[in-house]
Amino acid sequence: KAPTAQSDPPRVLISQLFPNGTYPAGQEVEYVNENSYRTTSEEKRHLDNINSEFLTDYRHAAEAHRQTRQWAQKFIQPGKTLTEVADGIEDSVRALVGHQGLEEGDGLKAGMGFPTGLSINHCAAHYNPNAGNKTVLQQDDVLKVDIGVHVNGRIVDSAFTLAWNPRYDPLLEAVKAATNAGVKEAGIDARLGEIGGVIQEVMESYEVELNGTTYPVKSIRNLNGHTINHYSIHGSKSVPIVKTNDQTKMEEGDVFAIETFGSTGNGYVHEEGEVSHYAKRGDAQKVDLRISSAKSLLNVINKNFGTLPFCRRYLDRLGQEKYLLGLNNLVANGIVESYPPLVDKKGSYTAQYEHTILIRPTVKEVISRGDDY
Ligand SMILES: O=S(=O)(c1cccs1)N(Cc1ccc(F)cc1)Cc1ncn[nH]1
Ligand SMILES: [Mn+2]
Ligand SMILES: [Mn+2]
Ligand SMILES: [Mn+2]
């Protein structure tokens, strides 16, 4: 008899839990003021209906995201290694969307949208444990869990923060509230700089006391939300998390990742440490590669990831060995972009919350909304 509930760890296909192929909608929020006509407009509803595959794939990926993260929120505890956490999350996502990603091209059908972000304390983003990493989660750590799930290239990019010492609660509350304020402000014709101002206002109304010193929570001013395109995790528009005079407006059909970061440090990150995250550039021009290992590696990247970001562990699981020289050559040639860890100052603590929202013709849909965040 087909299972009707998710297992622990999650291994039941989402498509099995929703057999008639209709997946749960995210949080749908009506547009307001001069855009309120869109709720009932025939033309806008038509535009929505001809986009039904897009919507189905997005809702499919979002349900896999929610079920994986709700398991992860219980599984992730001090004493676990980052490798165990990354493997647990990625095994679940791939099982739920039905693609292990081991045959050529399988990972392009559905699977991880990008490397699982597992960034600790002053590290805010783009950290994933490379092979041999022995890092064990500690009681006083602040861990950002940033999970990407895609179905047919429709990427859900959503993140949350875990901490086990209650002293960090105000930091996590600040960032959760700031992200929700940004999500609320978003909509058709919303100006990106204005959204940044709303986010910063909420974020910086909090403070956190650590070891007898009170720190104001700062928005990390050089991190931002972004548009998401088909098989592409970062599009042209960036959503600032501090006030700017960017008058660019959100438009019908856009997909945005609204992500905010709070910090007890400088409120500014720089690139530092060993790289795990890579992605083939969308605009990579043809280059005749001299190093054969670079040639064969580019082949593997094209067949398994396309322009989806990947990490070293994803190459390891495909059986690739001694690929670093080739990988660094692809980076040096501008064919592959590297994304080093992004860190604030040593000793500081950073937190992140992120949602993916669809600016649909008729309604704003917070596709990654769950009852957890
Ligand atoms: O910082 S980004 O590079 C960016 C690009 C333009 C505006 S923000 N980045 C996109 C990305 C890049 C590489 C990845 F492996 C995964 C994602 C934001 C992000 N990282 C995690 N979640 N969201
Ligand atoms: Mn498959
Ligand atoms: Mn993310
Ligand atoms: Mn993002």
Side-chain angles (χ1 to χ4, degrees), residues 7-318:
S7 58
D8 178 356
R11 293 293 181 272
V12 179
L13 280 169
I14 299 296
S15 57
Q16 203 145 39
L17 297 174
F18 298 90
N20 56 3
T22 49
Y23 301 99
Q27 176 198 12
E28 294 180 303
V29 183
E30 294 187 356
Y31 295 122
V32 294
N33 305 332
E34 66 284 352
N35 283 298
S36 57
Y37 77 94
R38 292 169 167 277
T39 313
T40 53
S41 149
E42 270 311 304
E43 182 231 345
K44 297 306 178 186
R45 284 157 57 161
H46 172 68
L47 285 172
D48 241 354
N49 295 335
I50 56 177
N51 224 4
S52 60
E53 264 187 50
F54 163 91
L55 215 38
T56 299
D57 288 344
Y58 250 112
R59 290 170 174 171
H60 187 173
E63 187 59 23
H65 195 285
R66 276 186 291 271
Q67 295 197 15
T68 297
R69 79 202 195 204
Q70 279 155 27
W71 167 81
Q73 285 155 12
K74 298 192 296 282
F75 174 76
I76 303 174
Q77 295 294 336
K80 286 272 189 328
T81 67
L82 291 187
T83 300
E84 285 169 327
V85 173
D87 287 343
I89 289 170
E90 291 153 15
D91 289 348
S92 295
V93 166
R94 291 177 176 129
L96 298 195
V97 297
H99 290 275
Q100 299 317 312
L102 291 172
E103 310 96 58
E104 223 162 68
D106 194 42
L108 285 172
K109 294 180 194 129
M112 295 305 297
F114 52 80
T116 307
L118 296 172
S119 307
I120 296 177
N121 301 336
H122 67 296
C123 184
H126 295 167
Y127 188 93
N128 181 277
N130 289 328
N133 185 298
K134 300 272 178 262
T135 307
V136 176
L137 264 177
Q138 301 300 310
Q139 187 64 31
D140 284 345
D141 282 345
V142 179
L143 174 70
K144 280 66 72 184
V145 184
D146 198 335
I147 302 172
V149 181
H150 87 89
V151 171
N152 295 320
R154 304 302 175 188
I155 308 167
V156 174
D157 176 4
S158 183
F160 57 96
T161 299
L162 294 177
W164 296 272
N165 185 329
R167 72 179 190 174
Y168 302 114
D169 289 356
L171 173 63
L172 273 62
E173 267 321 300
V175 184
K176 191 185 286 189
T179 295
N180 279 327
V183 166
K184 192 165 187 297
E185 191 68 20
I188 299 211
D189 296 335
R191 294 167 194 280
L192 301 185
E194 284 301 307
I195 296 173
V198 168
I199 287 168
Q200 183 172 23
E201 185 74 35
V202 172
M203 182 77 80
E204 302 194 346
S205 69
Y206 288 79
E207 59 187 28
V208 54
E209 185 188 327
L210 304 173
N211 298 325
T213 306
T214 300
Y215 300 87
V217 179
K218 295 179 187 167
S219 257
I220 299 181
R221 63 185 183 276
N222 63 330
L223 286 178
N224 46 255
H226 51 96
T227 42
I228 299 175
N229 295 319
H230 199 205
Y231 286 100
S232 172
I233 184 62
H234 53 266
S236 50
K237 299 177 194 169
S238 293
V239 186
I241 61 176
V242 293
K243 182 158 185 49
T244 74
N245 58 14
D246 184 350
Q247 299 301 313
T248 310
K249 291 178 176 179
M250 291 190 161
E251 297 170 88
E252 175 184 301
D254 282 343
V255 176
F256 277 96
I258 304 292
E259 57 188 300
T260 77
F261 294 82
S263 178
T264 64
N266 297 324
Y268 193 84
V269 289
H270 59 274
E271 297 182 340
E272 184 179 296
E274 186 176 272
V275 178
S276 56
H277 287 46
Y278 301 86
K280 194 182 83 167
R281 285 173 183 276
D283 58 1
Q285 70 285 9
K286 282 259 162 273
V287 171
D288 66 312
L289 296 159
R290 320 207 67 84
I291 299 181
S292 67
S293 67
K295 252 187 234 122
S296 65
L297 182 62
L298 183 55
N299 228 328
V300 169
I301 293 166
N302 283 329
K303 288 193 163 66
N304 291 283
F305 310 113
T307 51
L308 290 176
F310 59 94
C311 57
R312 294 193 198 177
R313 286 175 44 263
Y314 292 179
L315 295 175
D316 299 334
R317 71 187 291 272
L318 289 173

